[in-house]
Amino acid sequence: MKKIGVLVHALTVEYALEVLNGIFAYFKDKDDIQFFVAQTKDPKTDSGIYEYQSWNSVNLLFSTDIDLIIVITGSYSSTIATPALAKILKKFKSRPIISIGADLGLPDSYYIETECNSAYDNAIEHLKEKHGCKKIAFFSANKTGAREALMRFEAFKKALRKHKLVFDENLVFEGYWTVQRAREVIAKKYPRKESLNFDAIVCANDLMAIGCTQHFSSIGVKVPDDVKIIGFDDSTYAAQSRPRLSTMSQNIFEQGRIGAELAYKKIHGEDIPVVTHIPVIPLYKQSCGCIPLDNNDDVYCNAQNKIVHADDLTNGIQKMTGQFFNMHWSISNLYRLLDLSQTTETLHHFANTLDKILVALDIPTCCVCFYKKPIILDKGKDFILPHNALVMMMLNTEKKIRDYDPGLEFNPCKNPFPTEYFDKFPGSFMLHPLFSGRKNYGYIVCKIKTPNYAMHSVTMKILINAIASNYEYTRSLTRTKSLTKLNSSLQQSNSNLDIQSKTDELTKILNRRGFMDLGQKTIDLALDAQSRGMLFFADLDGLKKINDTYGHDMGDEAIKAAAEVLSHALRSNDTVGRLSGDEFAAIAIGMRLNQEAQLRIKIKSLCEIISKDKNFPFTLSMSIGAIEFGKDDAHNNLSELLSLADDKLYIEKNKKHKKNS
């Protein structure tokens, strides 16, 4: 199995997402390839306080087990110049590199770049001959140092010379690739319509063109009547702008596909060219006046001045737009994941719920690897990849693999993806460092089935936050003296219970006698440890109706399911019991009242899941009353707390009754 690493700056940029779509499309049918996508940001990123930790993925992908690296170099251009990126990557061990967007100039590196001279030549000729433009301005991104910015600027100047138009350096503006900067610069230079001294402006990307359009609209300059605008990229913004932006297509999808093809040939021993050029195609739409403003069809005028209906080949971004904006399929499941991430649990308990979430999110494989101990990393410091790591969690929903804490030890410097789990699974994977604040715990690897990288990056972010939080909670249980004492005391009390007399026969959890005995001991030990906690009183909604409609056997199944929901919703060290009939109670040490709402949502979600799993002809529902207790509170007796929680339960039941009546 060949392994390819893919470095991308951020998964929130259309250009990067469309390149990845091309890579995914080429590799999806290759059964001898694994490619691992890492959103790296950069070592000095200002995006988020601790997002510099994302760069640690580079260390993993330059491990000895990776055969080749694809760098989406163009995605880094807005934050780091290409020479600076090359200098950073040079210090890593040598690997063949396919650079998409620019030449990195590294040993054994190959690159794909667009050839924009002919497109700019055609654009200037088009503006001059068809629209009569004489003074043409330019919005550059030269100060970013990006090679593609400089190439576009030189192509623009060359085209002006060829068509005998004057280049005026006073009509060159710096926009740093962004809408906001372009809008600010053009607004300062041209605060009023009367100050405008050019009849067309060509922009090095679509975003700067959008910034111009926004300002012109605010001062009464009409596009294209007063000024013509042409962008570059053929982005979704260009397709959705009003008027629709004339632009230039880089065939971004094709850049990704060709990059993947070159990578595949290289790692299989074939010779590949050092440079591959992709032609840029002008698309003349409404902002230069080629398409009437009242024409809502998706059409453009090509370089030969012929009207063409846009299709997948002419606007590759459109193929990605649905994935980028239409995320309804996974929003509800992300809510579940967010709820899961905000609940303090042990890693073991977290894993029990995570596999269901992965199925819902269509993620077949998730592997969580921890270093022997967390690494404290400050911004600007070099990350040194440890030689020892452990697989702490491996879930494969397709192969029914569900290993928690298998303890498999390996060296991530040689192979960050243990062969025991990864060698048999080709396809696309996402890699993300597992960090919280300055602490780097390890990393997480998820296999994905669809190229919806934007949504998957959100999923990964939520997952790492949840895992880090639950890891810290798990550690705290073992290192905090008071909680250690509490756990050992509870375990001792548990072992001394008379199973026959204190276990509920139907649900196999504590019966009333067992709960009252162990529950009061739990509260007393918590108070001795200066800890607070929560007591929950719960009952099953509509048990009489279930019995009357479906029979008492089904009622018993509903009671057993309710016990299972409470046991899974709470933590493994919490105390849960059945008091009588459909009434349950639970004690959770360390939980606070502000977590009650999260628990209610989790119980509701688990009720829905278990109802479907057990094919119930109804949806299980529970009502809850909750009360917090602590050493300084007036009520710390279990019977009194149950009475107070019962009052809360009564209020909730009344609300439900009124709502349903």
Side-chain angles (χ1 to χ4, degrees):
M1 187 74 67
K2 299 293 186 180
K3 294 182 174 66
I4 295 175
V6 181
L7 305 182
V8 56
H9 181 265
L11 292 170
T12 54
V13 179
E14 290 180 53
Y15 165 79
L17 293 171
E18 186 66 357
V19 172
L20 284 171
N21 280 343
I23 295 172
F24 187 96
Y26 182 81
F27 283 137
K28 69 179 180 179
D29 297 325
K30 301 291 185 291
D31 58 7
D32 60 342
I33 292 291
Q34 294 174 331
F35 71 100
F36 299 85
V37 177
Q39 175 180 248
T40 69
K41 302 298 177 70
D42 62 71
K44 298 181 180 179
T45 182
D46 292 323
S47 173
I49 300 175
Y50 299 107
E51 284 301 304
Y52 64 86
Q53 294 262 25
S54 299
W55 181 256
N56 302 336
S57 299
V58 179
N59 298 68
L60 292 161
L61 289 184
F62 273 91
S63 68
T64 56
D65 193 52
I66 299 296
D67 298 289
L68 180 143
I69 298 290
I70 296 175
V71 182
I72 305 179
T73 307
S75 70
Y76 293 87
S77 60
S78 63
T79 60
I80 181 169
T82 300
L85 176 64
K87 185 177 180 180
I88 295 172
L89 295 178
K90 187 176 181 180
K91 69 180 181 179
F92 293 97
K93 294 179 180 179
S94 177
R95 290 286 179 283
I97 292 178
I98 307 293
S99 171
I100 298 177
D103 181 13
L104 289 170
L106 296 172
D108 201 13
S109 67
Y110 310 83
Y111 65 102
I112 297 167
E113 69 177 9
T114 54
E115 190 288 299
C116 60
N117 286 319
S118 59
Y120 274 100
D121 180 19
N122 187 271
I124 297 303
E125 180 183 24
H126 180 85
L127 289 171
K128 178 185 176 183
E129 302 300 333
K130 185 169 183 178
H131 299 296
C133 298
K134 300 291 181 62
K135 296 189 71 174
I136 304 176
F138 188 78
F139 238 118
S140 84
N142 293 344
K143 289 188 178 180
T144 65
R147 187 167 184 266
E148 60 267 36
L150 300 173
M151 288 174 61
R152 293 170 197 177
F153 182 52
E154 291 302 319
F156 168 75
K157 291 194 295 182
K158 183 178 178 181
L160 287 181
R161 290 194 299 269
K162 180 177 177 180
H163 295 285
K164 296 180 172 45
L165 292 175
V166 176
F167 169 71
D168 186 347
E169 63 181 15
N170 293 317
L171 295 181
V172 177
F173 317 115
E174 179 57 52
Y176 288 89
W177 299 121
T178 69
V179 173
Q180 182 177 352
R181 186 60 181 268
R183 187 173 62 243
E184 291 172 351
V185 168
I186 204 75
K188 184 176 180 180
K189 184 78 173 178
Y190 301 100
R192 298 179 305 279
K193 179 179 179 179
E194 295 73 22
S195 58
L196 201 66
N197 61 346
F198 56 84
D199 47 24
I201 183 167
V202 176
C203 303
N205 79 339
D206 289 340
L207 293 178
M208 294 187 292
I210 297 297
C212 289
T213 304
Q214 290 176 354
H215 174 64
F216 290 154
S217 176
S218 70
I219 62 173
V221 172
K222 295 180 180 179
V223 178
D225 294 345
D226 298 327
V227 64
K228 321 294 183 188
I229 300 179
I230 296 179
F232 193 106
D233 277 340
D234 190 24
S235 66
T236 302
Y237 300 100
Q240 294 183 340
S241 66
R242 291 293 178 270
R244 286 199 302 278
L245 185 65
S246 298
T247 184
M248 305 186 197
S249 171
Q250 302 186 69
N251 291 309
I252 299 173
F253 179 90
E254 189 67 3
Q255 290 183 47
R257 194 201 65 78
I258 290 177
E261 182 180 7
L262 292 173
Y264 190 79
K265 290 179 177 179
K266 178 65 179 176
I267 61 177
H268 285 87
E270 296 185 40
D271 292 331
I272 61 173
V274 172
V275 58
T276 300
H277 287 111
I278 305 290
V280 174
I281 304 170
L283 309 175
Y284 302 120
K285 301 182 182 180
Q286 293 175 332
S287 69
C288 71
C290 282
I291 304 298
L293 296 178
D294 59 357
N295 187 334
N296 293 318
D297 295 336
D298 192 7
V299 297
Y300 67 93
C301 183
N302 66 15
Q304 290 75 41
N305 289 319
K306 293 182 179 179
I307 301 296
V308 179
H309 283 266
D311 57 27
D312 286 346
L313 293 177
T314 60
N315 190 357
I317 289 293
Q318 291 179 349
K319 295 182 292 185
M320 176 273 294
T321 306
Q323 298 171 8
F324 190 71
F325 292 104
N326 185 15
M327 300 176 178
H328 299 296
W329 66 273
S330 54
I331 292 297
S332 61
N333 296 312
L334 276 180
Y335 273 115
R336 285 186 181 181
L337 184 57
L338 279 167
D339 173 52
L340 177 64
S341 70
Q342 295 172 11
T343 305
T344 303
E345 298 174 330
T346 64
L347 282 172
H348 193 175
H349 196 270
F350 176 83
N352 287 338
T353 313
L354 179 60
D355 55 354
K356 293 183 176 65
I357 300 295
L358 294 178
V359 170
L361 291 169
D362 206 20
I363 297 176
T365 303
C366 178
C367 183
V368 180
C369 303
F370 279 88
Y371 305 132
K372 284 294 187 70
K373 61 180 182 179
I375 298 168
I376 305 298
L377 187 68
D378 291 307
K379 189 174 183 178
K381 301 293 183 181
D382 288 337
F383 174 74
I384 300 175
L385 184 62
H387 288 269
N388 300 99
L390 294 169
V391 176
M392 294 297 291
M393 197 183 299
M394 179 64 190
L395 301 173
N396 187 313
T397 58
E398 294 178 334
K399 303 292 184 181
K400 306 301 181 184
I401 298 173
R402 189 172 175 278
D403 290 345
Y404 165 74
D405 196 14
L408 175 66
E409 188 169 344
F410 65 98
N411 183 352
C413 297
K414 293 183 177 179
N415 182 4
F417 315 111
T419 55
E420 290 85 348
Y421 290 118
F422 284 94
D423 262 15
K424 298 178 181 179
F425 307 124
S428 175
F429 297 81
M430 288 192 67
L431 168 70
H432 203 303
L434 208 166
F435 64 88
S436 179
R438 296 165 60 232
K439 288 185 179 180
N440 191 301
Y441 301 94
Y443 54 95
I444 179 173
V445 188
C446 289
K447 184 177 181 180
I448 60 175
K449 296 168 69 175
T450 61
N452 197 354
Y453 290 99
M455 179 58 79
H456 285 307
S457 69
V458 176
T459 302
M460 295 281 278
K461 183 65 176 176
I462 297 172
L463 275 176
I464 66 169
N465 288 342
I467 293 170
S469 174
N470 289 293
Y471 173 82
E472 287 294 342
Y473 178 75
T474 303
R475 289 185 71 202
S476 72
L477 288 180
T478 57
R479 71 170 183 253
T480 303
K481 184 177 180 180
S482 60
L483 289 180
T484 302
K485 175 185 175 182
L486 174 60
N487 281 338
S488 60
S489 299
L490 290 176
Q491 290 170 5
Q492 184 62 42
S493 297
N494 237 339
S495 64
N496 293 334
L497 282 174
D498 182 347
I499 296 176
Q500 295 297 322
S501 63
K502 297 185 179 180
T503 299
D504 180 60
E505 185 176 352
L506 178 63
T507 62
K508 308 306 178 186
I509 62 175
L510 293 171
N511 60 18
R512 183 179 185 86
R513 177 184 173 189
F515 181 82
M516 296 302 290
D517 184 359
L518 183 58
Q520 188 61 59
K521 291 177 181 178
T522 300
I523 293 171
D524 292 342
L525 287 167
L527 299 178
D528 289 343
Q530 304 294 317
S531 188
R532 298 186 66 80
M534 293 283 295
L535 181 135
F536 300 96
F537 199 114
D539 76 358
L540 182 62
D541 294 332
L543 178 61
K544 183 178 185 304
K545 184 177 180 180
I546 293 172
N547 285 331
D548 293 344
T549 306
Y550 306 106
H552 285 271
D553 288 344
M554 182 60 75
D556 287 347
E557 290 300 316
I559 291 171
K560 288 195 291 184
E564 189 176 340
V565 165
L566 281 177
S567 298
H568 280 84
L570 292 160
R571 301 163 301 189
S572 56
N573 61 318
D574 293 333
T575 305
V576 181
R578 179 188 179 197
L579 301 187
S580 65
D582 61 345
E583 292 182 337
F584 300 86
I587 298 171
I589 305 304
M591 194 174 288
R592 304 299 297 270
L593 197 59
N594 59 9
Q595 295 174 273
E596 179 189 355
Q598 296 173 7
L599 183 66
R600 289 178 183 275
I601 295 171
K602 189 170 185 180
I603 287 174
K604 184 177 184 296
S605 177
L606 287 171
C607 281
E608 293 171 356
I609 291 171
I610 202 168
S611 297
K612 291 180 181 178
D613 288 347
K614 294 183 178 293
N615 294 317
F616 284 161
F618 52 85
T619 299
L620 205 67
S621 174
M622 299 185 73
S623 297
I624 303 168
I627 190 78
E628 187 174 345
F629 63 84
K631 188 169 185 178
D632 298 326
D633 293 347
H635 302 285
N636 289 320
N637 177 272
L638 178 56
S639 296
E640 294 175 348
L641 290 171
L642 283 170
S643 178
L644 293 171
D646 189 23
D647 292 341
K648 303 265 189 179
L649 175 65
Y650 178 77
I651 294 172
E652 181 177 345
K653 297 287 278 190
N654 272 345
K655 288 181 180 178
K656 284 186 177 181
H657 180 73
K658 289 178 181 178
K659 184 177 180 180
N660 296 328
S661 61

